[in-house]
Amino acid sequence: MKKLLLCLMLIFNFQNSIADETPEAVVNHLHESLIVVMKKSGELDFDARYRILEPVVLESFDFETISRLVLGRSWKKLNDDQKKQFIDILSRLSITSYVSRFDGYSGEKFEYLGDENMKKGRVLVKTQLITSERQIPFNYVLHPAADKWRIINVIADGISDLSLRRAEYTRTLKTDGFDKLVEKLLEKIKGMEEKGPDDTA
Amino acid sequence: MNNNKRCSKQSFLMWHVFLLFLTLGLTDTVFAEADPLESINRPIYNFNDALDRHVMQPIARGYTKITPEPVRDRITNFFNNLTYLNVILNDFLQGKFHQGIDDSARFFINSTVGLGGLFDPASTGGLVQHNEDFGQTLGVWGMDEVAYLVLPLLGPSSVRDVPDLATSTALNPLTYFTFAIAAPISAVNIVNSRANLLEATEFRDEAALDPYVFTREAYRQHRISLIYDGNPPTQELEDFFDDEEDALEEDTLIIE
């Protein structure tokens, strides 16, 4: 009986902690991890930084929904294996992009600016990246996924990641087909991995 | 020589605009990814891109190597200041009177105390730089982009953004200097502007599957963001989901 109670309490606590995590907290956690990785870019190689960011990005984003939105009408035409493959590649591409782009630290910091409610329970979290030169707006659209708030779009400096990817990917899918799209995305991942941290300065 | 060049550039532009109006009657530009002039735009994009890779990028890279960053910042400030009369005009055209007065003060202070715009004491004093042009004004007035354009040498643009070429040229003091003075200064401007974009094009090369589509979408969204001064209504983002959800629902209906 005690055990059962403990179990119930644990479950209740667990669910509670999910509900307690605000959209702002999800974004802040991602930002904190990015700053950590930026600061360590001198001492850690690409793979090590990838391993740090991978779990954070995977739990912050809803790649299944993102994949569905990016491919729009074409999504339904893919079979289950292709869908799985695409979600996997898009996740890897996103993590690789973060590792490759946030690869040095010179005093940057993220600042939370506020929330805005959108339709269907979505929330827009507004932040900015403050660099020595300027402030770059980073806005995130989050939606209440099954388990927690998850990011489904990033709007960096006014440019929506979802729209950009949709325009490009659906075009490639239409003209070259799914296999070619996968091939091109894998090339992009490889290109960023090979660039290494030293060539970017 | 210069006249000839200008003439051919202008006639090329005229030809472009002419073709545009020819096609407009025939195409429907309602949906978001419409690009009715793609068949004309793409070859021009490829031409610009080849010129950029073989000529402009190497020059811009060489320039950033030999010019220290503080010097490049001064040069960027100077050319920003030269475009500022156009910013002020469009502040007022968009009904931003307060901003128009601030920007006038900014232009006056930077042109005098800031030594012709090389320095930016106005920003230090709280008069921040704004980004306005006639294309944005037309957007504020309710015009949509009509069609995406790639201009020879000048790059991404749209029908809505073409008239700004006239106002920004007419309001740039450099236009009224003789060729011998204006040409070398313009050359510095072109190289410096290209150098400022090196990071952005590296990002494009790293991320883009189809650089033409990537540039088009990035340009469009950047322009929308500028029209709303960096704060587009969330409806701009909702439209995307609405489209997608409609599409998915439609598909479900068809399949079932």
Side-chain angles (χ1 to χ4, degrees):
Chain A
M1 184 62 199
K2 248 186 181 172
K3 261 186 185 169
L4 183 73
L5 204 68
L6 196 70
C7 260
L8 280 174
M9 271 171 67
L10 275 176
I11 291 167
F12 180 74
N13 262 329
F14 183 56
Q15 283 179 336
N16 223 6
S17 75
I18 286 165
D20 282 349
E21 198 184 25
T22 59
E24 179 193 342
V26 174
V27 172
N28 281 345
H29 182 50
L30 173 68
H31 284 167
E32 280 158 17
S33 312
L34 286 175
I35 296 283
V36 165
V37 166
M38 284 160 83
K39 283 181 176 166
K40 285 189 176 167
S41 61
E43 46 188 288
L44 296 177
D45 66 0
F46 194 96
D47 287 339
R49 287 181 288 140
Y50 188 98
R51 279 194 299 273
I52 297 178
L53 276 186
E54 185 180 24
V56 182
V57 174
L58 288 180
E59 71 178 302
S60 309
F61 288 81
D62 182 348
F63 284 110
E64 192 178 337
T65 305
I66 295 172
S67 302
R68 189 170 55 78
L69 288 166
V70 163
L71 293 188
R73 283 165 195 271
S74 313
W75 180 248
K76 293 248 164 185
K77 291 176 194 137
L78 303 182
N79 64 41
D80 286 352
D81 285 345
Q82 288 174 323
K83 284 179 185 171
K84 259 197 202 123
Q85 194 185 4
F86 185 80
I87 295 168
D88 177 56
I89 290 177
L90 196 64
S91 331
R92 279 166 56 203
L93 181 65
S94 302
I95 303 163
T96 310
S97 307
Y98 273 124
V99 177
S100 147
R101 266 164 224 156
F102 291 78
D103 66 341
Y105 185 72
S106 41
E108 292 91 344
K109 61 175 187 195
F110 285 99
E111 188 184 59
Y112 168 78
L113 297 175
D115 277 9
E116 220 171 288
N117 288 326
M118 296 175 66
K119 280 187 206 161
K120 304 210 170 151
R122 288 183 285 256
V123 171
L124 182 71
V125 175
K126 297 181 168 187
T127 72
Q128 58 182 4
L129 175 66
I130 303 171
T131 73
S132 54
E133 286 150 24
R134 65 191 203 108
Q135 287 120 28
I136 306 162
F138 268 80
N139 296 339
Y140 296 84
V141 179
L142 288 92
H143 82 149
D147 50 352
K148 64 189 285 265
W149 285 98
R150 284 177 188 268
I151 299 167
I152 50 172
N153 195 8
V154 184
I155 305 106
D157 209 3
I159 295 172
S160 145
D161 188 61
L162 269 185
S163 311
L164 204 57
R165 285 189 204 274
R166 180 177 61 165
E168 272 204 295
Y169 294 8
T170 52
R171 162 60 68 89
T172 307
L173 195 62
K174 222 178 264 171
T175 46
D176 302 323
F178 182 76
D179 292 342
K180 187 75 188 169
L181 173 65
V182 166
E183 192 190 310
K184 280 187 168 181
L185 291 173
L186 289 174
E187 262 170 40
K188 288 291 162 193
I189 294 174
K190 224 177 142 202
M192 283 189 263
E193 283 169 354
E194 279 167 2
K195 197 182 69 174
D198 300 322
D199 308 340
T200 47
Chain B
M1 172 65 196
N2 169 49
N3 264 350
N4 268 345
K5 238 185 191 165
R6 193 173 284 167
C7 254
S8 70
K9 203 171 138 187
Q10 265 171 0
S11 63
F12 201 24
L13 191 72
M14 292 280 282
W15 171 80
H16 208 82
V17 172
F18 168 74
L19 279 177
L20 168 77
F21 285 116
L22 206 71
T23 11
L24 275 185
L26 308 170
T27 29
D28 169 22
T29 57
V30 182
F31 51 96
E33 268 145 68
D35 187 359
L37 298 178
E38 187 175 343
S39 57
I40 308 166
N41 284 337
R42 250 190 211 265
I44 297 175
Y45 177 88
N46 291 337
F47 166 78
N48 286 349
D49 191 54
L51 191 70
D52 184 57
R53 277 173 208 283
H54 293 112
V55 183
M56 289 314 299
Q57 276 192 37
I59 294 175
R61 273 178 222 288
Y63 166 81
T64 48
K65 278 219 177 82
I66 58 167
T67 338
E69 205 177 320
V71 175
R72 272 181 277 141
D73 289 346
R74 297 287 87 75
I75 292 171
T76 304
N77 282 348
F78 173 78
F79 286 109
N80 280 345
N81 192 58
L82 278 186
T83 65
Y84 229 64
L85 286 174
N86 194 40
V87 174
I88 295 166
L89 169 77
N90 286 290
D91 283 337
F92 287 115
L93 288 178
Q94 292 172 31
K96 297 168 180 161
F97 291 102
H98 197 81
Q99 186 177 314
I101 288 160
D102 280 359
D103 280 338
S104 305
R106 180 186 160 82
F107 179 68
F108 179 75
I109 291 168
N110 283 353
S111 302
T112 53
V113 186
L115 305 178
L118 289 174
F119 296 88
D120 185 5
S123 282
T124 322
L127 293 167
V128 295
Q129 187 184 338
H130 292 105
N131 183 334
E132 305 290 358
D133 55 56
F134 195 60
Q136 291 180 49
T137 298
L138 291 174
V140 169
W141 289 353
M143 181 176 176
D144 68 13
E145 78 163 17
V146 184
Y148 176 68
L149 287 179
V150 181
L151 302 177
L153 306 179
L154 298 175
S157 187
S158 72
V159 174
R160 181 177 58 198
D161 292 329
V162 164
D164 180 67
L165 295 176
T167 64
S168 61
T169 308
L171 289 173
N172 191 323
L174 211 54
T175 311
Y176 303 99
F177 284 86
T178 58
F179 178 74
I181 296 172
I185 299 179
S186 301
V188 174
N189 187 17
I190 290 166
V191 173
N192 185 66
S193 306
R194 184 62 193 88
N196 286 340
L197 286 172
L198 281 173
E199 228 172 280
T201 48
E202 270 162 26
F203 175 70
R204 175 202 64 196
D205 292 342
E206 197 176 278
L209 299 189
D210 181 334
Y212 171 83
V213 175
F214 184 93
T215 308
R216 185 190 72 204
E217 287 312 305
Y219 179 77
R220 273 182 174 156
Q221 298 207 21
H222 180 60
R223 294 299 297 172
I224 291 173
S225 172
L226 286 178
I227 287 168
Y228 290 106
D229 298 322
N231 272 314
T234 50
Q235 189 53 45
E236 290 284 338
L237 295 167
E238 300 276 14
D239 286 345
F240 180 86
F241 294 113
D242 291 347
D243 287 356
E244 290 304 316
E245 275 152 15
D246 286 352
L248 287 172
E249 271 160 31
E250 253 174 57
D251 282 359
T252 322
L253 286 177
I254 293 166
I255 289 164
E256 277 163 4

